[in-house]
Amino acid sequence: MRDTADDADSNVTGSGENVTSSDGKAAGSAGNVDVTGHGDEAPAVPGSEGARTAHRLQLPRDTPATDVLAMVRNVRPQAVLEEDGTIEIGDDTRLVPDPSPRGAGRWTIETPRVREDPVPEGLEDPHGYGSAFPEGLPFAAERRALDLVWSLGRRLYGAVVTDGGVRLEPHPFHVRDLTVVSPHALAPESFAQLIAPLEPDAELDRVPSEIARSGYSVTIPLSAPAPQDPSAPQDPSAPQDPSAPQDSSASPASQDSHVAQASQNDGGVIHVRVGRSTGHPALSALGWVDSAVDYELVHIPADEAELALESPDAETAARWAHAYRRIGLIAGLLTETVGGYVVDLEGFLVDPADLV
C-alpha cells in the first residue's frame, strides 16, 4: 500500500512488510506547545452545506506533519493529503495545518457540527467531554473527529482546544493497553515459558484440552511502583477497548476473579488474552492479517474508578506509567519471538523499539 507520503513516513519493522507508523516525542517536548496568538476559541468554519464547527489541535512545534499524517492513516487509511497540506479524513471532515509563521504544530479539524444531549450525571467521562460541552455532547461525525484529535494529542503530547475554548489535555498514559498482532500463534505452555523469566508470577488460566494454540489467557499480578520509579518510561511510544477474541476461553467468572485479584495488588493486574485477530485498519494491507493472532495486553487497575479519570494525580500517573512499561516489555518480547506489529487500544501503531 504505497502513496505519495509513504517515503516520508517511518516504518515499523516486525514481519518484513512496510506499514506506516509514527515515532513519538520526548515527554519534555510537551512544554513546547504554544497557544499564543490564537485566543481561547477554535476558529469558526463557514459553510452553507449545514452547521459546521472546528476544534484546534495543538502539538509541540517540532512535530513533523508526516507524523500526523502517518498516525491519521493508522485509523483512517482512506485519508488523503492535499497539496496545501490539508488531510481529508472523510466524514466531510478535514485536518488543516496552520500556515502562519507561528503555526508550527497547530492544526484545525473542520467537521459537521452534530450535538446530542449533555452527558448524564454520574456517567464516566475520561475524555472530559461532559464539562467541555455542557449543552450537548458531540455526536456522529463530530464525535469521531474530536476523538481523533484527542488521540493525536495523547500520542504526540499535545492538547485540544474545543470550539467553546475549553482546553483538553489527554494524559500520555491514559491508554496503556497494547496488542501484538502476529501471523504466528504460541501454544499456551510455550507462551507461559516465554514470559516466565520476565514475569515469574504469571498464571496461565485454565485451558480446555481442545485448545491448541489460541483462545487462552494469562494473568500477571502488578505491584505498585516504587516512589519516583526511575524505570518508568518517559515516552509511551508516541504512544485504544480491544474486544476479546471470538474463541477466548476466559469466562465472566474468571474475569471477575481477575478484578478481585487486582484489588489485592496496588498496581492491579495485566490480563493477556490470546485469540484470533479482531482486525486492525493500520494493518489492513498485510496479506496474512486475516489469519493473524492477537496477543492483547490489558491493564486492569486495582481501583476501577481510575478508568474514568480525566486527569490522574501524580501517584496514579506513576502507576499508569509502571503498568505501561511492564506491558511494553511483554509486547517487545513477543514481537521478537513471533514477529508482527504492535497497536495500541485506539488502533495506532507503536514502534517496538520505543517499548524496551
Side-chain angles (χ1 to χ4, degrees):
M1 181 174 65
R2 301 282 298 176
D3 52 44
T4 57
D6 280 348
D7 292 338
D9 295 336
S10 57
N11 294 324
V12 175
T13 302
S15 355
E17 299 183 57
N18 291 336
V19 177
T20 303
S21 183
S22 170
D23 292 332
K25 300 290 182 290
S29 67
N32 296 329
V33 177
D34 188 351
V35 300
T36 305
H38 282 276
D40 293 330
E41 297 190 7
V45 178
S48 59
E49 67 274 21
R52 295 184 63 79
T53 190
H55 309 287
R56 188 177 299 282
L57 172 64
Q58 298 178 333
L59 301 176
R61 285 182 169 273
D62 59 350
T63 305
T66 51
D67 282 6
V68 177
L69 174 63
M71 294 190 66
V72 169
R73 283 182 170 157
N74 280 180
V75 293
R76 302 285 185 92
Q78 79 282 2
V80 175
L81 178 65
E82 302 292 345
E83 291 185 1
D84 64 354
T86 295
I87 303 174
E88 294 287 347
I89 297 172
D91 265 351
D92 197 18
T93 299
R94 59 192 60 88
L95 193 59
V96 183
D98 187 335
S100 70
R102 295 178 58 83
R106 297 169 177 163
W107 299 75
T108 298
I109 192 156
E110 302 175 355
T111 174
R113 185 183 188 277
V114 187
R115 302 290 166 89
E116 59 176 0
D117 295 334
V119 62
E121 185 176 354
L123 187 68
E124 293 182 358
D125 184 30
H127 286 35
Y129 292 168
S131 57
F133 302 96
E135 296 182 358
L137 292 176
F139 184 64
E142 186 183 5
R143 176 59 176 262
R144 291 189 289 270
L146 189 62
D147 285 346
L148 175 62
V149 291
W150 187 93
S151 297
L152 291 174
R154 173 184 66 82
R155 286 291 303 265
L156 296 172
Y157 294 87
V160 175
V161 178
T162 71
D163 58 358
V166 178
R167 185 177 176 86
L168 303 173
E169 297 187 69
H171 192 276
F173 295 108
H174 195 280
V175 171
R176 301 170 296 287
D177 301 351
L178 298 175
T179 298
V180 176
V181 186
S182 174
H184 305 294
L186 286 173
E189 295 77 8
S190 298
F191 181 88
Q193 292 174 4
L194 174 67
I195 67 169
L198 188 64
E199 300 289 354
D201 296 327
E203 297 182 3
L204 180 65
D205 297 335
R206 187 176 62 182
V207 179
S209 58
E210 67 272 15
I211 297 297
R213 291 186 180 275
S214 64
Y216 60 90
S217 57
V218 175
T219 301
I220 303 169
L222 189 61
S223 59
Q228 298 180 344
D229 183 2
S231 65
Q234 298 301 309
D235 183 353
S237 110
Q240 34 142 313
D241 177 44
S243 58
Q246 296 297 319
D247 54 356
S248 174
S249 62
S251 64
S254 65
Q255 296 294 331
D256 292 342
S257 68
H258 298 149
V259 174
Q261 183 174 357
S263 66
Q264 300 173 7
N265 301 281
D266 290 342
V269 299
I270 297 171
H271 188 52
V272 186
R273 305 164 183 162
V274 184
R276 295 177 181 174
S277 180
T278 56
H280 306 276
L283 304 176
S284 58
L286 299 177
W288 48 264
V289 71
D290 289 341
S291 58
V293 174
D294 281 354
Y295 297 84
E296 296 180 344
L297 307 167
V298 180
H299 176 221
I300 302 176
D303 183 358
E304 289 187 335
E306 290 184 14
L307 299 174
L309 289 178
E310 177 186 355
S311 300
D313 57 25
E315 184 178 347
T316 301
R319 286 197 300 271
W320 287 4
H322 180 66
Y324 186 86
R325 175 181 177 274
R326 293 275 291 273
I327 287 175
L329 290 174
I330 299 171
L333 177 62
L334 280 169
T335 54
E336 290 178 0
T337 305
V338 297
Y341 297 91
V342 183
V343 296
D344 70 14
L345 179 62
E346 294 176 338
F348 295 101
L349 284 167
V350 177
D351 190 340
D354 294 331
L355 300 175
V356 297

